[in-house]
Each structure stands twice: as structure tokens, then as C-alpha cells.
């Protein structure tokens, strides 16, 4: 079929044949498909949707477009985690060494921030000396030493997704469930883990703003895992407010370590990590239930083993954590700060988390295009979150920029104020874990 016929077929709502999907993806990586025609096809897909079979074939074709990794010579189980993206999402920084402390092996590839969501690689690069570009051999050395490793995803892993994702981003065609599932799952499946847990974010700061859409995505991901031979578990987690207290690269690293050390006043972060770990442990048959796995995770943190592993891992990848701490002390005197005062007395009832993520990006914590530079100290310290009482004039948050950046514009202070609703009534605190769907059963065990 010519690409024009594929576009026509999709516009009429027809299902694309498997062979055509594979041919299309081959054409994409060979650069023989014109961007304007691929854009038209993506738009037709956004209107008509991809069926499950089309999503499965697209996932297969994406995986086949590049290399697939094999870690079977390392001591197992080899595990991986993926987040659909959020604001203040520092889970990978905590969870990977924590899983290693619980006896799992974690060779993880992560991405950079784009749009309103942060990226683990940018966070790690705020640690002086931390190397995110290790070779396969270097990764193995780090894993043998400490049990985990996080590197930037290489260009040869699912190259088709890289091309398609860039076009989706530029043509506002990101938002189709099958396209998202094929993009996320192909990368995870190609990365060679035995078992995977997905942190499906749901709420105002996430791709999926409703529980129904988050569950639908989780169901597709679980089916893809089953049909492509990988055990997968899903946790649907709350992204109605930033995760933890900080948004921004260096600040999130500092908060992640503090949370592992039990110093964080925010229980949501540790609770989410323990649940994700519990689901992974049961997914790879290291426990009878995810609750049992969760308890094992808690023990690994309370004993100090997870924190020890965090420190060993950062050092094994060349990071100098003490220099980050020292830079914080020095920078604290020179940082550009702007306090965001509450406009009235009351209780925080809602946070528009996407808007808050945009404020962080505009401060310099993220990027709009891949060419934008990150300010490691830029970000937000959320002084109050949903359910907290606030007093007019007292700080809702502090907006931060590095010493070399221009002062924080008043416009961003106002933007943050508008993103936070203060009400006169008490609100119910949202739980961090909304649903748990363990290994390929597709069964919600918290939700209905
Ligand atoms: N993250 C991805 O990797 N791909 C998508 O399509 C959406 C989020």
C-alpha cells in the first residue's frame, strides 16, 4: 500500500494491515517516508484511534527498528520501571537503588525532560561528575558493583519511536492511547528486563487526567506485556499535585536522598516507591502478594540499606554527592528566590499541576525544545499542598533560579498563584496510589 492509501484507509476508520505497519516503520527509519505524509497519518490516527491489533503490531515494529538488549548473563531478576511522566517525579532516583537493596538487578535507561514533565537524566546531571553516558561494559561494571545503573537511552534503541515522537510533539498528535502505548512499551520491552512495573500517572499534571483513561492505558500495556512475553505490573498513581515538595533537578535529587534517609516530611514519595517495588517483587515471583513485597521494601529502607545503595550507586557512576551538597550551601546564599504569597486564608483544594510544571520549565528546570539549556538549581519548593491551611501573605511556594540566571519574573509568581485554588472548606487528601494492577492479570485490586 502507498502511504497515501494508508492515510485514506485510516481516515475511513479502517484497520491497517500488520505488514503495512511494519513496512511503514522500516520506511521511517530509512528516512524514505515524508514528514508531511507521516504527520497526516498521525492526525488520522488521533481522530480514528489505533485498534489493539494495530497497537501490538506497531509495538513489534518499533522494537524491530533497533537493537534489543540482553542482560540474561547478569544475576537476576532483571527489572525495570517506567513512569508516564509527572511533575516532581523523582521516583526513579529513589526506587532503583532501593530495588537493588531488595535484591533485584536494575539496568535502567531514562530520558530527559520535555514539556511540563521532568526527566531523570537531567536530574542526575545536576550531580557534579555523574556520567549518564556509560558504555554497555561500564554499565555492567556498575551493576556488578551496586546492582543498579541509570543511563541516557541510546539512539539505537527503538530509533523509529524517536523520529515519530518528535513529529507527534511538533504536530500535537501525542495524545492517542495506542501511539502512547506503542511508544512506551517498545522502549521498555527492547531494554531487556525480565519484569517491568509501570507507574501510570493520573491527574492534572499527567498525560492521563482521568482514572478511566489511566486504567485503559494500563490495560493495553498489560495486554502488550502478555502478548509479547513480558510480565508487567501497573500502579496508577496520583498526579493531582507535585510529587513530594520539590520540582526541579538538583532540588529533586536532594529531596530523593532525604526521603530515603527518612528525613522527608512527605510520605507520598516513599509510599509510592514501596508500592512500585512491591508490585515488581510479586511480578518477578519474589513474593506471594504485592503487600508482602511492599513490606520487604519498607524493611530495606528502614534498615538503611536503600540509602547506602543510593550513595554507592551515585559514586559508582562518578557522581560527587558531597559537592552537590556543598554547592547547595554556597548557592543558597546566591540563588534567585521569589516567594509566592497566598492571596487569601483557607485550605488548598486544588493544584493545576501541569501549570505548575510549566512554571518550573519557564524558570529553567525543563525545556520546550531539545536545544534548550537546563538550569540545575531552577525549580519550585512547594511549601503547601492540597489539604494544607494557608494564611494570606504567607508563602505557598518559593520559586528558585540559579545564581547566573535573571531574576524570577513577577509573572511566574502570579502564574503559580493562579494554579493553586484556596477554598474555605476542608478537602479530602488524595491518596498517592489510586490502583494496583499486578502482573498481566489486568485486575484492579484497589479500584472497581
Ligand atoms: N512517553 C513516551 O515515551 N511516549 C509517549 O508517547 C508518551 C509518553
Amino acid at each position: 500500500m502507498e502511504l497515501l492509501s494508508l492515510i485514506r484507509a485510516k481516515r475511513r476508520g479502517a484497520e491497517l494491515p500488520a505488514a503495512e505497519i511494519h513496512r511503514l516503520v522500516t520506511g521511517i527509519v530509512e528516512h524514505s517516508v515524508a514528514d508531511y505524509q507521516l504527520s497526516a497519518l498521525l492526525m488520522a490516527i488521533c481522530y480514528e484511534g489505533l485498534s489493539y491489533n494495530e497497537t501490538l503490531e506497531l509495538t513489534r515494529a518499533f522494537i524491530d527498528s533497533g537493537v534489543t538488549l540482553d542482560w540474561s548473563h547478569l544475576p537476576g531478576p532483571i527489572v525495570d520501571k517506567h513512569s508516564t511522566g509527572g511533575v516532581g517525579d523523582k521516583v526513579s532516583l529513589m526506587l532503583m537503588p532501593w530495588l537493588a537493596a531488595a535484591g533485584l538487578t536494575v539496568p535502567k535507561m531514562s530520558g530527559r525532560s520535555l514539556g511540563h514533565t521532568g526527566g531523570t537524566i537531567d536530574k542526575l546531571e545536576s550531580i557534579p561528575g555523574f556520567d549518564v553516558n556509560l558504555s554497555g561494559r561500564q554499565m555492567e561494571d556498575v551493576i556488578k558493583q551496586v546492582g543498579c545503573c541509570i543511563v541516557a537511552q541510546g539512539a539505537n534503541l527503538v530509533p523509529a519511536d524517536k523520529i515519530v515522537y518528535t513529529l507527534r510533539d511538533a504536530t500535537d498528535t501525542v495524545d492517542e492511547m495506542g501511539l502512547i502505548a506503542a511508544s512506551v512499551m517498545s522502549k521498555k520491552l527492547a531494554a531487556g528486563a525480565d519484569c517491568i512495573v509501570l507507574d501510570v500517572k493520573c491527574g492534572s499534571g499527567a498525560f492521563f487526567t482521568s482514572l478511566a483513561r489511566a486504567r485503559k492505558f494500563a490495560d493495553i500495556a498489560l495486554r502488550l506485556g502478555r502478548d509479547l512475553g513480558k510480565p508487567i505490573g501497573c500502579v496508577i498513581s496520583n498526579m493531582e499535585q507535585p510529587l513530594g515538595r520539590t520540582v526541579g533537578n538538583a532540588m529533586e535529587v536532594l529531596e530523593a536522598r532525604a526521603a530515603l534517609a527518612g528525613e522527608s516530611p512527605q510520605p507520598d514519595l516513599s509510599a509510592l516507591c514501596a508500592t512500585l517495588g512491591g508490585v515488581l517483587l510479586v511480578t518477578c515471583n519474589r513474593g506471594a502478594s504485592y503487600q508482602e513485597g511492599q513490606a520487604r521494601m519498607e524493611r530495606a529502607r528502614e534498615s538503611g540499606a536503600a540509602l547506602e545503595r543510593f550513595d554507592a550507586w551515585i559514586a559508582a557512576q562518578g557522581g560527587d554527592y558531597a559537592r552537590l551538597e556543598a554547592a547547595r550551601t554556597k548557592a543558597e546564599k546566591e540563588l534567585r528566590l521569589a516567594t509566592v504569597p497566598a492571596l487569601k486564608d483557607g485550605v488548598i483544594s486544588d493544584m493545576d499541576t501541569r501549570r505548575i510544571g510549566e512554571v518550573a520549565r519557564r524558570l529553567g528546570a525543563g525545556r520546550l525544545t531539545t536545544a534548550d539549556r537546563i538550569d540545575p538549581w531552577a525549580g519550585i519548593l512547594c511549601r503547601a499542598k492540597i489539604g494544607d491551611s494557608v494564611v494570606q501573605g504567607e508563602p505557598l511556594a518559593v520559586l528558585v533560579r540559579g545564581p547566573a540566571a535573571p531574576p524570577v519574573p513577577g509573572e511566574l509568581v502570579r502564574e503559580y498563584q493562579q494554579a493553586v485554588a484556596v477554598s474555605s472548606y476542608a478537602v479530602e487528601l488524595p491518596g498517592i496510589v489510586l490502583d494496583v494492577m499486578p502482573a498481566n492479570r489486568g485486575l484492579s485490586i484497589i479500584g472497581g
Side-chain angles (χ1 to χ4, degrees):
M1 234 191 239
E2 290 294 313
L3 195 53
L4 210 53
S5 317
L6 280 191
I7 297 167
R8 247 181 236 137
K10 197 71 233 170
R11 276 187 56 199
R12 286 199 315 270
E15 190 167 77
L16 304 179
E20 294 304 326
I21 292 175
H22 284 264
R23 211 193 317 269
L24 170 71
V25 172
T26 305
I28 291 169
V29 281
E30 286 172 354
H31 299 285
S32 61
V33 173
D35 276 2
Y36 52 85
Q37 286 194 314
L38 187 52
S39 303
L41 181 62
L42 289 168
M43 192 56 85
I45 288 172
C46 276
Y47 278 104
E48 292 300 328
L50 284 180
S51 69
Y52 175 72
N53 284 337
E54 288 173 313
T55 305
L56 177 62
E57 286 314 322
L58 187 61
T59 308
R60 279 200 178 110
F62 272 1
I63 294 171
D64 293 346
S65 74
V67 298
T68 49
L69 304 180
D70 179 2
W71 303 103
S72 56
H73 54 291
L74 292 178
I78 312 290
V79 300
D80 200 356
K81 164 256 170 190
H82 181 81
S83 156
T84 54
V87 177
D89 182 5
K90 54 208 63 88
V91 165
S92 289
L93 304 177
M94 292 174 66
L95 184 61
M96 301 303 119
W98 193 345
L99 290 169
L104 303 175
T105 301
V106 205
K108 181 161 173 53
M109 311 222 161
S110 284
R112 294 182 185 278
S113 84
L114 202 60
H116 74 285
T117 63
T120 300
I121 293 300
D122 295 320
K123 296 174 208 215
L124 288 169
E125 279 186 341
S126 67
I127 308 171
F130 194 97
D131 189 354
V132 296
N133 295 309
L134 302 185
S135 66
R137 173 64 60 84
Q138 289 170 317
M139 273 183 89
E140 282 190 31
D141 288 346
V142 172
I143 290 166
K144 280 181 192 149
Q145 221 180 309
V146 296
C148 69
C149 177
I150 302 185
V151 298
Q153 189 184 304
N156 51 4
L157 196 88
V158 197
D161 176 64
K162 206 169 172 55
I163 299 169
V164 175
Y165 192 89
T166 306
L167 213 49
R168 285 166 64 206
D169 206 31
T171 56
D172 198 21
T173 52
V174 170
D175 208 15
E176 198 281 323
M177 194 68 80
L179 290 177
I180 299 174
S183 164
V184 166
M185 295 304 294
S186 58
K187 285 177 287 200
K188 286 294 112 179
L189 294 167
D194 300 327
C195 315
I196 301 163
V197 67
L198 296 183
D199 180 6
V200 182
K201 305 283 188 198
C202 173
S204 63
F207 264 110
F208 307 117
T209 50
S210 74
L211 192 53
R213 269 179 68 75
R215 282 212 182 106
K216 186 171 174 206
F217 173 81
D219 271 327
I220 297 172
L222 290 169
R223 279 181 78 184
L224 289 174
R226 185 197 61 201
D227 292 340
L228 296 170
K230 275 289 157 144
I232 288 174
C234 289
V235 173
I236 301 180
S237 70
N238 197 318
M239 194 27 76
E240 291 292 1
Q241 57 182 347
L243 192 53
R245 285 276 172 196
T246 61
V247 183
N249 298 290
M251 285 197 285
E252 289 193 42
V253 173
L254 295 163
E255 186 180 20
R257 190 184 183 282
L260 278 179
E263 291 161 8
S264 165
Q266 284 290 298
D268 56 350
L269 252 179
S270 295
L272 176 56
C273 289
T275 307
L276 288 162
V279 170
L280 255 184
L281 281 163
V282 71
T283 303
C284 57
N285 297 320
R286 291 295 193 275
S289 67
Y290 90 88
Q291 291 91 339
E292 193 184 304
Q294 215 171 351
R296 185 165 153 195
M297 291 291 288
E298 295 292 3
R299 286 194 297 276
R301 194 181 63 77
E302 282 159 14
S303 68
L307 180 63
E308 235 170 72
R309 205 58 74 103
F310 177 93
D311 289 339
W313 158 56
I314 299 294
Q317 282 194 240
D320 188 342
Y321 194 82
R323 262 181 69 204
L324 180 71
E325 285 277 13
R328 186 228 321 241
T329 313
K330 181 169 176 290
E332 262 170 4
K333 298 187 201 110
E334 298 164 6
L335 289 174
R336 298 186 172 273
L337 307 176
T339 299
V340 183
L343 293 174
K344 58 178 182 176
D345 293 357
V347 177
I348 296 189
S349 55
D350 186 61
M351 296 177 89
D352 183 338
T353 309
R354 173 179 279 263
R355 213 160 159 186
I356 291 171
E358 286 292 346
V359 170
R361 183 188 61 70
R362 288 170 63 192
L363 284 164
R367 48 171 79 77
L368 204 51
T369 74
T370 45
D372 292 346
R373 279 175 66 85
I374 298 264
D375 170 359
W377 290 105
I380 303 170
L381 176 60
C382 302
R383 289 253 186 244
K385 292 180 53 177
I386 296 178
D388 289 343
S389 297
V390 292
V391 174
Q392 187 180 3
E394 295 287 306
L396 289 176
V398 181
L399 308 188
V400 183
R401 269 185 164 167
V408 175
E411 187 193 325
L412 291 184
V413 171
R414 286 187 291 280
E415 187 67 18
Y416 192 94
Q417 282 168 325
Q418 283 163 18
V420 176
V422 178
S423 305
S424 52
Y425 49 84
V427 291
E428 211 175 300
L429 271 183
I432 184 67
V433 175
L434 302 176
D435 203 353
V436 176
M437 299 158 88
N440 295 341
R441 275 175 255 155
L443 253 184
S444 296
I445 55 179
I446 292 183

